[in-house]
Amino acid sequence: MLEYVFFQRALVAAVVVGLLCGLLGFFVVLRRLAFIGVGISHSAVGGVAIALLAGWSPGLTAAAFAILVALGMFWVGRDRRLSEDAVIGVFFSGAMALGLVLLSMRHGFQQELFAYLFGSVLAISGGELIGLCVLSVVLGGVVLTVFRELLFIAFDEEVARAYGRPVDAMNALLLVVLAITVVAGIRVVGVLLIEALLVVPAATAALWTLDFRRQVAVSMGLGAGSGILGLVGSYTFDIPAGGAIVLVAVAGFFLSLLLRRAS
Amino acid sequence: MDAVIFEKMRVELDGRLVLEDISFRVRQGSFLGVIGPNGAGKTTLLRAMLGLVTISGGRIEVLGRPPGRHGAEAHVIGYVPQRETIPRTFPASVADVVMMGRLCCKGRTRILSRHDWEEVRRGLELVGIESLAERPIGRLSGGEMRRALLAQALCSGTRLLVLDEPTVGLDLPAELEFYNLLRRLQHELDLTIVCVSHDLLALAGQASELICINRMMHVHGDPQHVVHSHALREAYSCEFDFLAGEIAHHDRAGGAV
């Protein structure tokens, strides 16, 4: 299978997205952003629909739309009368409903919509792959640069504020990076399953160590490893790539749970 | 010189008056205890001092500047928040948590140097938990955890230390040990300390000055004066009978609480 260019590209894409989601997933799990991740990924459907109707680039449009939705959730979520999950629920269902209504106006887009819902990593082009790699390096670099700031905010937001740390800017930055990561990951495993790559490797890593350096390393390794094993499984058993990748990651989680319970 | 100045300070939160007409000064190097019953606005007073709430009247000056306007010098103010527990699974070591206190002295690149780790080590030594540096922060006892937060607040050239109920949840020996440590650090590092507690007796034995608030300032002075003042009765109103008994007990014990 390695002789096929499409498979090589898919492999690189899955590894890169697995590494990036593993890194971001550390903060998603630590700061309980899992529902925000679901909200961002599902609202990307709205972005994809706008792109398909307007004839714009689906990736860029979905990314821009996801960033807007993420920041919208952030700003409205600061209203103390509302709980955060309620705000996420409003934005995410609203954006998805917008997508479904827009798509219903034009026929013949179902297939493309399916590609976004379930991922299409085997169809990734060389240009897209280079873009994905550059993007991942930039996003990963940004997160690593401000890593300890984000850790501080996770530890005690109030104290971080008292020390003059740019807490709001950091929270917004994390959401923007998360939104871009989600949209990039949608290409690989799809809207419905990208959440798994954000949560499962990081949650598995949290079972193994209490040191954040090791947690991040394990999480990134599991993300990349799930990508490789999942793609090989997908090829071998002729099953969907996105589903196979996520199943491998989830299997790793339960295996870890068993091993850690036993020890 | 005064490290902290409050002049007719007033705070409203969501349209509700929480603090009014608060005026006092804290001399450089002294230990001010802020007492008052639950809900008196003690934490709000600290938050105003740290620039975390906007005041709606009067003036505050902290180390010569308005709160929250210390920019790159923010680290001269150390803050130990009210915190009883830390999640057992928080993925950072004690040293990593102390290092958070040094982030505000770093530039945009945020690259940590050997010097930063030395300062973290020094902070841990100051509070006597250098042997716990590599322990996960969630796996400390209550007393050890307070010391770790104290080290975090002290590891960046701190001149003013602000503490909010630092001993809540600690047993009496651990509480005494914590206050003794605090007083030793006050003298060793020439710190100004502002400490809030609802526990009048604990603070009365430790602070060099006390103020008692309950929305308004009720009294300001040395602990003996405050503890026996009429104004304290006003501030604590209905709780006073209970308190009076404890104060009598406190006096019999020769102030050794």
Side-chain angles (χ1 to χ4, degrees):
Chain A
M1 58 199 169
L2 280 175
E3 65 271 27
Y4 299 114
V5 174
F6 76 87
F7 194 81
Q8 294 166 0
R9 284 182 188 151
L11 213 50
V12 175
V15 166
V16 167
V17 166
L19 291 172
L20 185 62
C21 286
L23 174 61
L24 260 294
F26 171 77
F27 287 108
V28 169
V29 169
L30 181 62
R31 300 199 49 194
R32 300 164 193 263
L33 300 176
F35 191 40
I36 289 197
V38 174
I40 293 174
S41 60
H42 285 63
S43 61
V45 172
V48 169
I50 294 171
L52 291 178
L53 278 181
W56 297 337
S57 152
L60 290 181
T61 313
F65 192 75
I67 290 173
L68 281 180
V69 170
L71 291 178
M73 294 192 290
F74 178 64
W75 287 112
V76 178
R78 284 155 55 104
D79 188 325
R80 273 181 282 157
R81 288 168 300 178
L82 298 165
S83 73
E84 204 175 49
D85 53 345
V87 173
I88 297 166
V90 170
F91 272 85
F92 130 54
S93 46
M96 203 161 168
L98 176 73
L100 294 178
V101 168
L102 287 178
L103 282 172
S104 74
M105 291 175 177
R106 298 276 293 268
H107 294 287
F109 289 123
Q110 280 85 346
Q111 184 144 13
E112 262 184 281
L113 178 66
F114 262 62
Y116 287 98
L117 286 182
F118 299 106
S120 53
V121 66
L122 294 169
I124 201 163
S125 72
E128 278 179 300
L129 186 60
I130 292 170
L132 182 66
C133 290
V134 172
L135 188 70
S136 298
V137 169
V138 172
L139 295 183
V142 167
V143 172
L144 290 177
T145 305
V146 299
F147 194 94
R148 281 180 185 270
E149 297 273 4
L150 295 171
L151 193 68
F152 192 3
I153 295 168
F155 183 71
D156 197 321
E157 188 167 316
E158 172 101 343
V159 176
R161 257 183 228 283
Y163 288 166
R165 307 323 302 146
V167 171
D168 290 327
M170 285 294 150
N171 285 338
L173 177 73
L174 181 61
L175 282 185
V176 168
V177 173
L178 187 61
I180 301 174
T181 301
V182 162
V183 172
I186 283 173
R187 195 75 175 96
V188 175
V189 292
V191 164
L192 298 179
L193 289 176
I194 177 61
E195 180 69 4
L197 278 192
L198 282 174
V199 171
V200 181
T204 311
L207 291 172
W208 287 100
T209 168
L210 278 178
D211 180 286
F212 67 84
R213 302 163 196 82
R214 290 190 205 128
Q215 253 186 42
V216 168
V218 170
S219 176
M220 291 174 74
L222 286 172
S226 310
I228 297 170
L229 280 180
L231 275 183
V232 170
S234 149
Y235 184 88
T236 312
F237 303 111
D238 192 25
I239 51 178
I245 292 170
V246 172
L247 280 180
V248 170
V250 171
F253 174 82
F254 282 108
L255 188 64
S256 300
L257 200 61
L258 270 178
L259 289 172
R260 297 303 284 170
R261 284 273 162 84
S263 66
Chain B
M1 195 199 129
D2 292 319
V4 181
I5 301 170
F6 274 64
E7 270 179 17
K8 298 196 171 303
M9 195 268 308
R10 166 192 176 90
V11 176
E12 284 171 33
L13 294 177
D14 301 323
R16 195 169 56 89
L17 187 62
V18 180
L19 288 169
E20 64 174 326
D21 202 18
I22 304 286
S23 302
F24 64 90
R25 284 165 184 256
V26 187
R27 280 194 319 279
Q28 183 87 47
S30 68
F31 183 152
L32 176 78
V34 181
I35 55 172
N38 290 328
K42 301 185 296 293
T43 297
T44 304
L45 184 111
L46 284 196
R47 298 187 78 229
M49 210 172 118
L50 293 163
L52 296 170
V53 288
T54 318
I55 60 174
S56 40
R59 188 174 77 93
I60 306 177
E61 205 177 276
V62 182
L63 297 176
R65 288 192 222 174
R69 296 284 170 76
H70 290 79
E73 300 270 284
H75 54 82
V76 296
I77 303 165
Y79 176 32
V80 178
Q82 179 172 355
R83 195 149 188 188
E84 268 192 78
T85 55
I86 288 170
R88 282 184 65 74
T89 55
F90 194 87
S93 69
V94 172
D96 289 319
V97 167
V98 175
M99 182 58 91
M100 292 170 186
R102 287 198 62 77
L103 284 181
C104 45
C105 353
K106 307 305 295 177
R108 278 189 183 279
T109 56
R110 301 175 169 87
I111 294 166
L112 302 177
S113 65
R114 181 185 297 239
H115 173 67
D116 291 310
W117 288 111
E118 280 164 8
E119 288 296 304
V120 165
R121 167 72 49 184
R122 200 181 64 89
L124 289 169
E125 281 168 8
L126 278 174
V127 301
I129 54 167
E130 61 272 25
S131 60
L132 301 177
E134 301 308 319
R135 180 91 63 88
I137 188 72
R139 300 288 162 88
L140 298 183
S141 73
E144 291 164 346
M145 186 265 275
R146 301 325 147 90
R147 283 167 186 252
L149 296 185
L150 193 56
Q152 184 192 59
L154 286 176
C155 71
S156 48
T158 311
R159 285 160 52 207
L160 170 67
L161 189 59
V162 179
L163 305 102
D164 190 358
E165 305 272 10
T167 59
V168 74
L170 293 187
D171 58 23
L172 193 61
E175 176 174 301
L176 269 179
E177 208 179 318
F178 185 84
Y179 279 120
N180 286 337
L181 170 67
L182 212 52
R183 291 236 300 233
R184 182 167 63 73
L185 293 172
Q186 179 195 358
H187 296 120
E188 267 177 33
L189 306 174
D190 192 24
L191 286 174
T192 308
I193 297 179
V194 177
C195 180
V196 152
S197 178
H198 69 281
D199 188 350
L200 165 65
L201 296 166
L203 264 185
Q206 304 294 337
S208 44
E209 287 167 73
L210 280 182
I211 62 171
C212 176
I213 60 165
N214 189 3
R215 199 181 58 136
M216 293 163 61
M217 282 271 301
H218 282 269
V219 58
H220 181 189
D222 69 74
Q224 281 310 308
H225 166 70
V226 172
V227 162
H228 294 285
S229 71
H230 177 71
L232 189 71
R233 188 177 324 195
E234 273 174 37
Y236 276 83
S237 52
C238 60
E239 289 180 53
F240 188 69
D241 287 342
F242 162 71
L243 264 175
E246 287 209 38
I247 289 168
H249 174 73
H250 170 68
D251 283 351
R252 273 200 304 279
V257 171

